[in-house]
Amino acid sequence: MKLIKRFFVVLIILVLPVVLLAQNQSAIIDTTKNIIPSNSEIYYSQTLSGSSLSDFIDEEYPNSIPIPGTNIRFAIGGYVKADFITDLDYVGDRSEFVTGTIALDGSPESKLGGVTTFHAKESRLSFDVRSKTKKGIPLRGYIEFDFFGSEDPYNYTPRLRVATITVGNFTIGQNWITAMDLNALPTTIDFEFGDALVFRRATMIRYEKSAGEHFKWALALENPGTGIDNPYNLDGQVRQYMPNITARAAWNHRIGHMQLAVIGTQPRWVSDSLGTSSAFGVGFHFTGSLKFAKYDKFMWGLAYGEGWGQNIGAFGGTQADAVMNSDGSLTTMTVLNFYVGIEHYWLSNLASTLALNWAELESPGNRTPGAQEMGATVHANLRWGIFKRLGVGVEYMAGKQRIADGTEGFGQRIQFAAKLNFTD
């Protein structure tokens, strides 16, 4: 019940400024490019499909190269990024600020203190091939790698991030889950962005279509990736049968955008001695952004549901969807998370972001005592675009985690970065 009350309080807090600021649309103009941006511009977007993709296939597709004798164009994208990180407290993940790796109070790790790490693992390379059929249907193949294939900060094993085929309005392959909203992410220098985000990649089949000038909707079947906590060490394993089913609707305008997504999932456990147990999970994700003043932007996200905690950044990989009971039945866990971010431009090439993130699970009393139950972060940065493609920045982060037995941990990090984009 506590999480339900918090859900409605946060919803009111997030919606109210949108309603008030939207009354003065005359003061709002298009924003400039982000400095050290977290996402590509629209024509490089990983989510382009249908008519939106058609607009960026021919000569209008910037920085692309035609293949002689064909109607195919391709582009190489990405960036080089170097990060210089100093942890003021113990954080187990030295490459990303992950709250679940912050040392708990009184633990041996908490006595080790901070450490300095330099790495370039976020550097990224992408290949984008576009064409059209004889009937004008847009085709696209997109593949993208970074170097986060190992948790070792000095191991640069390549990792496949995105690999998609787009045919008209269909997207097939590995991409960000449909409930995630890339356009509402606060711009941070830390690669984790903030643990309270709906944040996961999955292999999918997605159909997306425009509905008028300002609306777009999508339906998708996605790889489930369910996590079930097994505190009694019962025999068996997770055996997903039903894919995640996701629907979203988005409204876009020059003043900003809003998106609402609904995801359905089925945690399922198969045991030789206890048989098959399954449950139903559902989640709602409301996100958006609002442009105001001259270049500034307010971003938010709010999610609530049961049985889909694995889709929240803080709880990914922590068996956060359901708990096995001693009789083999499943109890789904309620999750609530929200984030807000404000981006302010001091000058056209000097910007700051302040982002707050909070996520919490309402787990049953029989959950594994060491499992993470809450994660919260604050990010504050200053970013300077020295040249058109080159930017530098500094960011302060503070984070807190709490596990199921009530033990907490707090950590701080300072991160410097330099980033060179391959494209404009």
Side-chain angles (χ1 to χ4, degrees), residues 277-328:
S277 300
S278 62
F280 179 72
V282 62
F284 301 89
H285 192 211
F286 174 56
T287 56
S289 65
L290 182 66
K291 301 171 186 176
F292 64 97
K294 189 174 183 181
Y295 302 125
D296 300 345
K297 185 162 64 172
F298 172 68
M299 297 143 283
W300 75 88
L302 172 63
Y304 176 82
E306 289 196 9
W308 72 304
Q310 288 286 111
N311 295 282
I312 310 302
F315 307 123
T318 63
Q319 291 74 51
D321 291 333
V323 176
M324 291 289 301
N325 300 311
S326 58
D327 61 358

Side-chain angles (χ1 to χ4, degrees), residues 100-123:
T101 67
I102 294 173
L104 296 168
D105 295 342
S107 67
E109 291 81 7
S110 66
K111 298 177 175 62
L112 295 175
V115 68
T116 292
T117 305
F118 292 177
H119 75 85
K121 297 181 69 170
E122 191 184 326
S123 299

Side-chain angles (χ1 to χ4, degrees), residues 368-387:
T368 300
Q372 187 180 6
E373 201 168 60
M374 184 274 287
T377 62
V378 57
H379 294 250
N381 63 47
L382 180 66
R383 310 182 312 279
W384 176 33
I386 303 175
F387 302 116

Side-chain angles (χ1 to χ4, degrees), residues 352-372:
S352 291
T353 296
L354 175 63
L356 306 174
N357 308 269
W358 177 82
E360 184 171 355
L361 279 170
E362 192 172 68
S363 52
N366 63 338
R367 194 171 184 216
T368 300
Q372 187 180 6

